[in-house]
Amino acid sequence: MVSVYGTQRIVKVCFFYTQGTRVGQKVCSSASSNGLRWSPGLEVFGAFSDSLDPNAPQTVFNIETTRINPNIY
């Protein structure tokens, strides 16, 4: 099942971490359509080495989604 959020179908999700000026690798998963129905994308994994320094910039989890009209296949 591919998610419909509000009035839009989520067809791609990407995430990455940032810490100050450091930017981690962006990792994405995309749904696919066979013209009749949508299938979810593969599960993905991302990692980011955090700092134990209490004065280091805060690590932030960033997420991006791509959404389309849910009637599009």
Side-chain angles (χ1 to χ4, degrees), residues 9 29-30 41 45-46 50 67:
R9 181 182 305 279
S29 180
S30 298
F45 173 81
D50 204 353
R67 303 169 189 209

Side-chain angles (χ1 to χ4, degrees), residues 9 16 26 28-29 35 47 49 52-54 59 66:
R9 181 182 305 279
F16 61 98
K26 185 184 287 189
C28 301
S29 180
S49 58
L52 296 177
D53 179 353
T59 300
T66 301

Side-chain angles (χ1 to χ4, degrees), residues 5-29:
Y5 181 79
T7 61
Q8 298 288 295
R9 181 182 305 279
I10 298 172
V11 295
K12 183 176 185 179
V13 177
C14 300
F15 70 92
F16 61 98
Y17 295 91
T18 56
Q19 183 184 55
T21 58
R22 293 176 55 217
V23 179
Q25 178 182 3
K26 185 184 287 189
V27 180
C28 301
S29 180

Side-chain angles (χ1 to χ4, degrees), residues 27-53:
V27 180
C28 301
S29 180
S30 298
S32 60
S33 172
N34 65 6
L36 299 173
R37 68 179 189 89
W38 285 92
S39 297
L42 297 175
E43 185 174 322
V44 296
F45 173 81
F48 185 79
S49 58
D50 204 353
S51 172
L52 296 177
D53 179 353

